Every structure is written in C-alpha cells, then in structure tokens.
Amino acid sequence: MDIITSTKNKYVKLTRSLAERKFRTETGLFLAEGVNLLRDMPDLVDVEFVIARSDRYGEASAMFESRAVKEGVICVSDEVFKSISDTASPYGIAAICRIPDMHFEMPAGNALLLDGVSDPGNLGTILRTAAACGFCEIYTLDTADIYSPKVIRATLGALFKVKVYSVDEAQALKLMRECDSCVLDMGGQSILNEKINSSVLFVSGSEAHGVRETLKREAKRVYSLPMKNQIESLNVAVATAVAMYQTV
C-alpha cells in the first residue's frame, strides 16, 4: 500500500480543485465526503475514485469492494487528506463522483422550483426536506451549486434520493404555465387553510428578493404563512418545509 504524501499528486490536485464550482463544471465531478453519506450512496452514482486516509484504507476498500470504482482507492497521509477535506474533523474517506447528466423534463408528481436560493445550508435543507415529503423533482434557477461540499453535507445523503434539474428562465416559465404552480410569498393567502391533494409545483425564491416577478405573474396561486409578534418572514428552508408538509 503506497501512501501519497504530496498535494501535487494528480488525484489530490483534482480533488482539491473540486472545492470550486468552476472546476466541478469543467470536470463534471464532485466530492462526496463522510462515512454515512458514502454508505447510503446508491449504485447508480458513478464513482471515479476514492481517497482514504491511511488508517481508513481498509475500511474504504471494504466499503467500495462491490462497486465499480474506475480508479480504485487512493491512500493518502493525514495531512494530505486534511488538505482535500471541507470539514474541521474529517472522517477520512471521500469519493470523487460524476455529476449526473440530467435532461429537462416535466415533473411526474409534487415538485419544487427554487429561484435564486443562494445559501448552501438552506439549499441542502430544502433538498433533504423535499425527499422526506416526496417532492422528488427539484428545479433550480440561479441557485447555489447543489454539488458544493456544503450543500451535499447539508442534505445528509438526500441529494441521491431526488432528481435535480438546473433550468433557465424559459424552462422555469414552462413549468409555471403547465404545472399547478404555487408561489410562496408573504403577499398570498394562508397556506394553512388549504389541503393540497393534487400534484403541485411550489416555487420558493431567494433569501433577499423572493420569487422574481416574471415567475409570479404565471403562478396559479400565491401562498403565505401567517405571522404573529410582528415577525415579517421565515427562513426560506423553514417556509418551504411547512408548505411541503401541507401535502403529506
């Protein structure tokens, strides 16, 4: 077992580059880190190679022995692993995976359209809640990168349980017109008075500006959450979660 101790190694350099969206886009790869996330990763995710700290090499090899890992398991020193990790206390196993090639299609059931959600923690939380509520098709318009380490970590593996499509405004407008589109906005009627039984497309907007006007104009309905104690609004992840649970 050769232990890589240099950050100039080609596998290490590639892995380190995936911290930036530019290189994730160029390579079509992303970094998945954490033992629970990797154990729950479905077989349909293509794994290019695995990087393991020397004390986790045997565990990583056993974890991926039944999968087709193109470049195998790469063993690195503790210092090298720290240089690729996005966490303060890394477990010691990471997989470099291929981003799925998702072609736009209309939803088959309950879905979300996220317009400009920029905080990785909010985006990851929304994806996890969506999976829990059966909103298995997510459309993202000018949002944070769903394959950033922070988003992946916030989903706690739920990213692999939903389909995520990156869309442009024209595709977003098609969704608004052809689906039962419901914008979540403080100017709407209370969603707590509704029980939504049919397939729905909930539309959540950016933390700072909400849903863009071009999408609002095409919405079938606009829903809000009632507020007390002079609270003006809720975090977008919380508000989206409440809306989705109205359909469960």
Side-chain angles (χ1 to χ4, degrees):
M1 180 181 67
D2 294 327
I3 301 175
I4 294 170
T5 59
S6 172
T7 56
K8 295 181 179 180
N9 173 272
K10 66 176 183 178
Y11 294 108
V12 176
K13 287 175 66 176
L14 172 58
T15 303
R16 283 162 58 92
S17 75
L18 300 180
E20 297 183 35
R21 186 171 191 165
K22 168 187 174 183
F23 293 107
R24 292 193 295 271
T25 301
E26 286 182 1
T27 62
L29 300 173
F30 69 96
L31 174 68
E33 184 182 355
V35 63
N36 292 328
L37 174 66
L38 297 177
R39 283 175 178 160
D40 292 340
M41 184 185 291
D43 291 339
L44 57 84
V45 179
D46 290 332
V47 180
E48 295 291 312
F49 60 91
V50 176
I51 289 188
R53 200 172 56 210
S54 56
D55 63 322
R56 298 290 185 188
Y57 180 80
E59 181 181 352
S61 297
M63 186 185 297
F64 287 91
E65 65 180 350
S66 63
R67 297 183 64 121
V69 180
K70 293 181 181 178
E71 302 287 337
V73 180
I74 314 300
C75 183
V76 301
S77 66
D78 179 53
E79 287 303 311
V80 169
F81 197 90
K82 285 179 180 177
S83 77
I84 70 167
S85 177
D86 189 57
T87 63
S89 302
Y91 185 79
I93 304 175
I96 287 67
C97 309
R98 187 150 296 281
I99 296 172
D101 187 15
M102 301 296 293
H103 297 286
F104 176 80
E105 57 184 48
M106 299 297 290
N110 287 338
L112 288 181
L113 171 57
L114 305 177
D115 175 21
V117 176
S118 60
D119 181 81
N122 284 339
L123 184 55
T125 300
I126 291 170
L127 293 176
R128 181 166 177 77
T129 311
C133 293
F135 280 67
C136 294
E137 289 160 297
I138 318 294
Y139 300 86
T140 62
L141 173 63
D142 298 332
T143 69
D145 183 7
I146 65 165
Y147 291 103
S148 76
K150 287 183 174 63
V151 173
I152 292 173
R153 192 161 61 248
T155 70
L156 297 175
L159 175 61
F160 304 128
K161 302 180 187 297
V162 295
K163 295 180 180 179
V164 183
Y165 304 89
S166 177
V167 298
D168 57 28
E169 187 167 310
Q171 292 168 324
L173 287 168
K174 177 179 174 66
L175 288 165
M176 299 297 293
R177 292 166 183 150
E178 298 186 17
C179 297
D180 185 14
S181 54
C182 302
V183 163
L184 304 180
D185 181 86
M186 289 308 298
Q189 61 182 338
S190 173
I191 196 171
L192 300 186
N193 297 327
E194 300 283 332
K195 181 61 181 177
I196 301 168
N197 297 312
S198 60
S199 295
V200 66
L201 175 77
F202 282 138
V203 187
S204 295
S206 76
E207 295 86 346
H209 307 293
V211 177
R212 67 189 68 186
E213 289 299 324
T214 52
L215 299 185
K216 277 187 188 179
R217 287 196 291 268
E218 300 293 338
K220 306 298 191 300
R221 295 187 298 283
V222 180
Y223 286 131
S224 66
L225 293 174
M227 298 288 162
K228 297 181 179 180
N229 296 316
Q230 298 180 321
I231 301 299
E232 294 183 356
S233 64
L234 292 179
N235 171 279
V236 64
V238 174
T240 305
V242 173
M244 288 189 288
Y245 269 101
Q246 287 299 103
T247 70
V248 175

